[in-house]
Amino acid sequence: MRYMKLLGLEIMVLAIGATVVFGQGNQEAANLTREGIEASKAKDWDKAIAAFKRAAQLEQRYAPNLASALQQRAGVYVSQQKFQEAIADYSEALKVKAKDPDIFERRAYAEMQLKDYDKALHDYNEAIKLSPEESKYYQVRAFIYQTKGDFKAAVADVDKILKLDPNNQDAQQRKRFLEAKLHGTPTPQPMPSGPIPNPNVHPPATATATPATKR
């Protein structure tokens, strides 16, 4: 069987356009945002996060840059197998973007590496609430239920996957395995492959200098 394997997060260098228009607003926040973007380009995530955090405190419209930088640093921690540090950064990012299912998924992945399946389950529940038509969330949640021995709940999630994606071969194979377990078949189907290896495939959005809205 294929186990979940760690994939390094692609680190995208944060960039800005040739012309940055900050417009009216808090000049200190604008300057801090410029500083954070330059630090991000150099992959100095500690400096970038400090600058974006201060900018967001001064003017809330710069907060998305903070969430992006926190996710980037968390991705670095994941690639270094520093999962507790990654979880802390994802948790901070969720304070800024509480309705982002991708951040919940990324944090759940780190929690699963620590075998903290209850917390990972909570995060996938939140991701599904925010994006109920995303089949990959059910796929990993079914894996968590299966790992915890809750085969009925796992089957329910597999059925949901098959409604969204009837040709999903992993879900078909997992359903046969789970039904064999539920019905006490002595030799169930071979264990299907694990869920997606790592949700941290696509880097978070880049930081930008947010122009002021026209008045």
Side-chain angles (χ1 to χ4, degrees):
M1 77 181 159
R2 180 169 60 85
Y3 293 95
M4 291 184 62
K5 59 183 179 179
L6 180 65
L7 298 180
L9 173 64
E10 244 181 79
I11 300 301
M12 179 189 296
V13 176
L14 304 178
I16 56 177
T19 303
V20 177
V21 180
F22 284 90
Q24 296 179 351
N26 190 307
Q27 188 59 45
E28 184 181 356
N31 291 339
L32 285 164
T33 297
R34 288 191 184 96
E35 179 183 323
I37 289 171
E38 290 304 312
S40 298
K41 289 163 68 176
K43 300 182 183 179
D44 187 345
W45 302 114
D46 292 344
K47 183 177 180 180
I49 287 167
F52 288 142
K53 184 176 293 186
R54 180 60 181 148
Q57 290 170 344
L58 293 170
E59 197 160 343
Q60 189 60 31
R61 63 183 171 145
Y62 295 117
N65 290 338
L66 173 60
S68 175
L70 284 164
Q71 289 181 77
Q72 295 282 6
R73 187 172 70 178
V76 174
Y77 284 142
V78 167
S79 70
Q80 297 171 344
Q81 300 189 38
K82 296 180 179 179
F83 300 115
Q84 291 287 10
E85 291 87 343
I87 290 167
D89 272 358
Y90 288 134
S91 297
E92 286 299 309
L94 282 168
K95 292 178 182 178
V96 179
K97 297 179 70 177
K99 301 297 183 182
D100 189 332
D102 178 67
I103 303 176
F104 280 108
E105 181 186 34
R106 291 168 184 269
R107 188 172 70 175
Y109 175 81
E111 290 162 344
M112 289 173 71
Q113 305 316 299
L114 298 176
K115 301 189 185 303
D116 197 340
Y117 294 113
D118 289 336
K119 287 183 179 178
L121 183 60
H122 168 271
D123 280 351
Y124 270 104
N125 289 342
E126 294 301 312
I128 286 169
K129 287 178 187 177
L130 294 166
S131 187
E133 300 304 308
E134 181 55 73
S135 64
K136 68 178 180 179
Y137 296 159
Y138 296 99
Q139 184 174 346
V140 185
R141 192 172 72 171
F143 175 83
I144 295 172
Y145 280 134
Q146 176 183 311
T147 301
K148 289 169 62 67
D150 190 345
F151 300 123
K152 287 185 178 180
V155 168
D157 272 357
V158 169
D159 285 340
K160 180 66 176 179
I161 297 166
L162 292 172
K163 285 183 180 179
L164 295 168
D165 181 11
N167 296 319
N168 188 307
Q169 294 184 0
D170 182 89
Q172 293 170 356
Q173 186 181 4
R174 192 176 299 280
K175 184 170 183 177
R176 289 193 295 270
F177 173 84
L178 291 167
E179 287 182 338
K181 296 289 283 186
L182 279 171
H183 295 102
T185 304
T187 55
Q189 295 290 322
M191 174 71 76
S193 61
I196 54 175
N198 188 341
N200 301 326
V201 173
H202 302 292
T206 59
T208 58
T210 308
T213 55
K214 293 182 179 180
R215 298 179 181 178

